[in-house]
Amino acid sequence: MRRIITLLLLTLTMASVNAMPYESARREAMFMTDKMALELGLNTLQYEAVYEINLDYLLTLSGNSGYYGTSWRRRNHDLQYVLTAAQYNRFMGIGYFYRPVTWRTNHMALVIYDRYANTTLYYYSSPKSYDTYRGGRTADRYYYRGRNYTTPNTPPRTDMGRYTRTTGTSNHGTWRDNSNNNRPGNTRGNTRSTRPSTNTRGNTPSKSGTWRK
């Protein structure tokens, strides 16, 4: 009996060690949600809810398996309540949103970085819950059901010129306040569109798009 308890504790400890830390999970959830807002046309309420759903999903991941089990199905279940039918159908057709995580060379990686290699580029401000929500909606299976996410149909804030994401201190980068910067259209010193190129051939996952313990 004592041996069984010891093995159980060891298993739980290993799972905890290999789990994605909260700080890493919320940065990756923010990056993925930002691009979902761009491509799926999320409004403000949807943006907030999708960020929470993505964060809850990423916080459940550990090791090199289990990415597409119960927590993945729960993510899809919750997103069906938040997105319109047209948005959800589009979501399922975009691989880096629908199946967002993979295992590459001994580390967990987000597939979205194959599409968006520039890890410093954000189209929207961080959700209001970015600094406060730490996960836990999964405790209520029907939390998102019956809520109105279509009105008011206003897009998320787009003043992300206040923030840029820098690399160097971790594989994911850190947030740096640049409140004196211009607003998004001018952050690169020109007026060209900041939408990513539709040609994804040759893109490789950025080092900032991986997570290692």
Side-chain angles (χ1 to χ4, degrees):
M1 183 67 180
R2 180 178 299 177
R3 182 181 179 184
I4 294 176
I5 294 176
T6 301
L7 289 174
L8 178 60
L9 291 175
L10 180 61
T11 301
L12 293 174
T13 300
M14 291 299 294
S16 176
V17 167
N18 292 324
M20 184 181 291
Y22 167 73
E23 288 297 328
S24 297
R26 74 168 185 162
R27 284 194 294 266
E28 304 302 2
M30 169 62 193
F31 190 85
M32 180 160 51
T33 304
D34 181 78
K35 307 311 177 286
M36 291 176 70
L38 176 71
E39 296 197 35
L40 303 180
L42 305 183
N43 63 33
T44 303
L45 297 178
Q46 290 175 320
Y47 186 59
E48 295 288 335
V50 170
Y51 166 74
E52 294 175 357
I53 293 169
N54 283 334
L55 178 60
D56 276 327
Y57 169 66
L58 292 176
L59 286 173
T60 67
L61 304 183
S62 63
N64 61 355
S65 62
Y67 304 153
Y68 301 113
T70 301
S71 60
W72 177 70
R73 290 190 292 271
R74 173 60 189 270
R75 173 182 181 247
N76 295 339
H77 181 265
D78 288 342
L79 287 174
Q80 282 187 295
Y81 291 136
V82 174
L83 304 178
T84 65
Q87 287 173 326
Y88 189 78
N89 286 336
R90 178 162 175 74
F91 158 76
M92 288 193 299
I94 302 175
Y96 45 84
F97 292 154
Y98 187 58
R99 299 178 68 86
V101 182
T102 189
W103 184 262
R104 295 173 177 167
T105 319
N106 298 320
H107 63 262
M108 190 188 305
L110 293 189
V111 183
I112 195 169
Y113 290 100
D114 293 350
R115 177 70 176 91
Y116 295 88
N118 184 350
T119 61
T120 67
L121 178 60
Y122 285 81
Y123 296 92
Y124 304 101
S125 300
S126 56
K128 292 180 180 179
S129 58
Y130 182 79
D131 292 320
T132 58
Y133 183 65
R134 300 187 67 88
R137 297 274 192 250
T138 51
D140 183 351
R141 184 177 180 184
Y142 299 107
Y143 177 84
Y144 297 98
R145 186 174 71 174
R147 297 172 183 264
N148 184 359
Y149 293 100
T150 58
T151 56
N153 191 23
T154 55
R157 293 175 298 130
T158 56
D159 56 343
M160 271 305 292
R162 295 179 54 227
Y163 300 96
T164 58
R165 188 172 165 185
T166 61
T167 58
T169 57
S170 73
N171 285 334
H172 295 279
T174 57
W175 289 101
R176 181 182 64 217
D177 190 347
N178 286 320
S179 55
N180 293 325
N181 283 2
N182 294 328
R183 297 174 75 85
N186 299 319
T187 54
R188 288 190 170 188
N190 56 56
T191 58
R192 292 183 298 173
S193 171
T194 55
R195 288 179 178 272
S197 169
T198 56
N199 179 10
T200 59
R201 289 179 298 176
N203 283 355
T204 56
S206 166
K207 188 174 183 179
S208 299
T210 62
W211 177 79
R212 295 184 178 86
K213 178 65 179 177

